[in-house]
C-alpha cells in the first residue's frame, strides 16, 4: 500500500536525518564538558535536544502507523514492543540530559548522551534484525 511506503519513508528519513544526530549531541556534550565557559555550546545543545525529542515522537508515530497498516502480527513481536519501550527510554534520557545541562552538570550530561547513543544503536539493530 502507498500509505505504508510513505510511513516507512518518513520513518527512515527521521531515523537517519533526525535521530542520527545523537552522535553529534554526544560530541557536543563532550565539548561542553571540556570548555565549561562556552555558554553558546551549552545553549545550542539544549536546543538540539528539544528538536531531537520531536524526531523521537515522529519515529514512534510512524512506527505505530506501520504496525496498524500491516496488522497485529507486527505488534506481537519482541523487537516491536522493545522498540516502543526503548524510544521512551531515549526520550527520558534526553529529558534528564536537559536537566543536567540546566544545572551545569556537564559530566552527567555527557554520560547520558553516550547512553542515548547506545540505546539508539540497540534500536536500529532491533529494526534491521527484527528478532
Ligand atoms: C530511535 C528511534 C528509531 C530508529 C532510529 C528507527 C530506525 C528504523 C530503521 C532504520 C528502519 C528500517 C529497517 C529495515 O527496513 O531494515 C526501521 C523500520 C521500522 N521501525 Fe523503526 N526506528 C525507530 C523507532 C521506532 C519505533 C519507536 C517503532 C515502533 C514502536 C518503530 C517501528 C518500526 C517498524 C514497524 C519498521 C518497519 C519494519 C519493516 O517493515 O520492515 N521504529 N526503523
Amino acid at each position: 500500500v502507498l500509505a505504508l511506503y510513505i510511513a516507512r519513508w518518513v520513518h527512515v528519513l527521521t531515523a537517519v536525518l533526525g535521530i542520527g544526530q545523537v552522535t553529534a549531541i554526544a560530541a557536543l556534550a563532550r565539548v561542553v564538558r571540556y570548555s565549561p565557559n562556552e555558554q553558546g555550546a551549552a545553549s545550542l545543545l539544549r536546543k538540539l535536544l528539544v528538536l531531537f525529542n520531536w524526531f523521537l515522537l515522529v519515529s514512534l508515530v510512524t512506527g505505530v502507523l506501520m504496525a496498524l497498516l500491516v496488522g497485529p502480527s507486527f505488534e506481537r513481536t519482541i523487537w516491536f514492543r522493545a522498540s516502543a519501550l526503548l524510544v521512551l527510554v531515549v526520550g527520558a534520557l534526553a529529558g534528564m540530559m536537559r536537566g543536567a545541562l540546566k544545572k551545569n552538570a556537564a559530566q552527567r550530561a555527557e554520560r547520558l548522551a553516550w547512553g542515548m547513543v547506545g540505546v539508539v544503536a540497540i534500536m536500529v539493530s532491533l529494526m534491521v534484525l527484527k528478532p
Side-chain angles (χ1 to χ4, degrees):
V1 242
L2 182 64
L4 186 59
Y5 272 104
I6 293 172
R8 200 191 164 107
W9 176 64
V10 173
H11 190 81
V12 176
L13 268 187
T14 306
V16 176
L17 302 179
I19 298 169
Q21 68 175 316
V22 69
T23 332
I25 286 174
L28 192 56
R30 200 175 184 79
V31 170
V32 169
R33 175 153 79 89
Y34 283 114
S35 347
N37 297 322
E38 288 272 1
Q39 279 310 308
S43 104
L44 174 63
L45 192 50
R46 287 218 294 269
K47 282 179 192 135
L48 286 181
L49 282 169
V50 175
L51 194 65
F52 182 73
N53 269 341
W54 283 108
F55 283 119
L56 290 179
L57 184 65
V58 176
S59 83
L60 179 62
V61 170
T62 51
V64 169
L65 191 63
M66 278 187 277
L68 292 176
L69 291 169
V70 170
S73 58
F74 241 37
E75 284 140 49
R76 289 202 199 99
T77 59
I78 303 271
W79 69 269
F80 185 86
R81 292 182 176 186
S83 304
L85 192 76
L86 287 177
V87 80
L88 302 178
V89 172
V90 179
L93 290 176
M96 286 160 71
M97 190 178 164
R98 275 160 71 190
L101 288 168
K102 214 172 274 175
K103 286 189 225 143
N104 287 318
Q107 189 174 2
R108 177 174 153 81
E110 191 192 346
R111 238 185 278 137
L112 287 164
W114 289 114
M116 284 158 59
V117 172
V119 181
V120 169
I122 293 170
M123 290 184 68
V124 173
S125 309
L126 285 172
M127 304 270 138
V128 175
L129 299 171
K130 305 188 182 75

